[in-house]
Amino acid sequence: MSTDQITVPGAQSPSGETAARPGPRAGRHAGRRARSLTTRRALSFYVFAGPWVLGFLTLTAFPLGYALWLSLTNADGLSNNSRFVGLDNYREVLSDPETMSSLARTGVFTAVTVPLTIAAGLLLAVLVNQPIRARGLFRTLLYLPAVVPPVGAALTFKLIFDRDSGAANGVLDALRLDGVSWLMDPYARWVLITLTLWGAGNAMIISLAGLQEIPKELHEAARMDGANTWQSFTKITLPMLSPVLFFQVITGIIAAVQSFLPLLISLDPTPRGVTAVPEGNYLFMIHVFAQYFANGRYGYASAMLWVLFLIIIAVTFLVFRLSRGAVFYSVAPESDKPSRPRTIGGK
Amino acid sequence: MVFPRRSAVYMLLVGALVLFLGPFGWLLDTALKDPSELRALPIHWWPHHPSFSNFRDALTQIDYLGYARNSLTIATLYAVLVTLASAWAGYGFARLNAPGKRLIFSVLLSTMMLPQVLTLIPTYLLFAKMHLTNTYVPWVLWGLCGAPYLIFLFRQFFSNMPKELEEAAIVDGCGQIRIFWRIFLPQSWPVIATSLILSFSWTWGDYIAPALLLDDTHTTLAVKLAYGYHNAHGAPLGNLVAAGAVMYVVPVLALFLIVQRGFVTGAATSGLK
């Protein structure tokens, strides 16, 4: 009975030794059991991980390969005689002015919204972390917009910025200013940025969780040493929070370059309309959808997406390199693991 | 770190609240106006004759409940399947060992970085070839595979459960599947709830996948709402859009407000821990 308990999990190698050594029957028996347990656990692992692996191969890896192949053809979805065109699509991506300008616009959109969202989220997080009344309520209400589904958020902003009946022009009118066609150039991009910032509650929650892990003693010690609020913020809060902010930069970039919100705020009443997107909001994803739906250019659209993917990888890598030294990983006192493990980049 | 002036904190917070909640106010406001008020100049800040007829019209002008049922079906199917499948895979990554596990796990983590849209076009073509468009089979398949983020969530939770739970069961002759099903899964209600809510709201809010895969009758509320309400000339009807959007958004907000205690930080920050 007692040998059984010793051989159970985690003790494979000691019990394996027991098995190799001539010993009492009970010991050898236990060793064999342990070995078969190890194999059984390995088999069980494959049983448990199997569905995901299978799904990854069929629903992710295979489509990725298919997308790569499509990007080398002139497939258009209409004719069945798509043919291999080599790197022509990629050459076109790099030389088509419309593609490049939508890419540049996406870059600007990302460079503006990611830092703004993180900064707004951090400010809100610091505010709702103060010892004030009803801060739980403030947290909940400020997070609320982040829960609204994208279509709901886009429709709401379309109503606010409507030329004739929207609140934005109502405010301008009250100030005796002329109303503006917000959803058209050159204002549409500001509506898009505002809409993106409306979801800053998400960044707030992530930063707040980071703030709460900073030991209070650090700030107290700094105050004892005569540091003011600003010094304590820049010298303690920011460095301690840097892994959390870094995480937000990476995920923010990945989300922003894929943004299709312009499609929803500028939508004309057709299901797959991309024609009504004003130039200022004509981001890379919108161009992909236009090529794909309006022109049926599956091959070209796939090449564009592969280029986007490579750019994401490159930018992520660059951010990792640039942040080396700027991101501070503290070691939690109760464990010898870094308190922020490397799950962020999967590396 | 404590702000020197508490009144400044309150002022900033109240200002932020006005900005963050204002859009909800305007949505509700518009939903209560009749079409003539929407055209009024200068604009009416408050509806002079608030009425709920917009909500009735929003329900009848398009087959609102039908589309809501489509959304509900897809979101429920996906949420239930993906939660079970993610718990299943998460258990394997947390409690079992096998050659190749590290590799598989790092592939899993890196797929979280993969832009979803990259696989969408070929996936659409594949499903079209298999005659699976206009069916809900794609969501079943996606659900059965589990989602990397949720798998990660379950793995984190299962990793922290005491070893004794498992050991006692093995002594009693339990197989791993029974251990998972009878011991670990019933203990993980907080994660199950988080996973159900997250996956449900992803699907309820998703626009691109249903727009690609489903035609006008099979599509979801998210897609139909975006372009469904317009008059004979194709101009959108703002008050009906607003009423429709309120009914689309409120269930999500209500669900969130009911479960938000303890849920928000856990769900939003689990990627960090």
Side-chain angles (χ1 to χ4, degrees), chain B residues 51-64:
Chain B
S51 87
F52 288 90
S53 62
N54 286 333
F55 289 96
R56 195 192 56 219
D57 294 346
L59 287 174
T60 50
Q61 208 198 50
I62 61 171
D63 181 16
Y64 195 98

Side-chain angles (χ1 to χ4, degrees), chain B residues 75-99:
Chain B
T76 311
L77 260 181
Y78 178 75
V80 171
L81 291 176
V82 85
T83 298
L84 271 176
S86 302
W88 180 265
Y91 179 81
F93 284 115
R95 311 299 298 200
L96 299 165
N97 249 317

Side-chain angles (χ1 to χ4, degrees), chain A residues 70 73-83 295-296 298, chain B residues 129:
Chain A
L70 274 176
T73 70
N74 62 354
D76 60 4
L78 297 170
S79 51
N80 270 327
N81 51 357
S82 62
R83 108 198 120 69
N295 305 338
Y298 298 166
Chain B
K129 265 188 194 147

Side-chain angles (χ1 to χ4, degrees), chain A residues 26 53 62-63 75 81 88 105 123 126 152 159 163 190 234 270 272 281 337:
Chain A
V53 172
F62 183 62
N81 51 357
D88 280 5
R105 225 171 273 129
L123 173 66
V126 169
L159 293 167
R163 202 193 127 77
W190 298 111
T234 51
T270 60
R272 290 168 175 186
N281 280 351
K337 283 184 304 186

Side-chain angles (χ1 to χ4, degrees), chain A residues 87-126:
Chain A
L87 293 176
D88 280 5
N89 286 325
Y90 290 92
R91 241 169 259 140
E92 193 181 337
V93 170
L94 299 177
S95 59
D96 180 0
E98 209 177 0
T99 305
M100 289 319 267
S101 63
S102 67
L103 192 59
R105 225 171 273 129
T106 307
V108 173
F109 170 74
T110 307
V112 170
T113 54
V114 172
L116 270 183
T117 310
I118 296 174
L122 178 59
L123 173 66
L124 293 175
V126 169

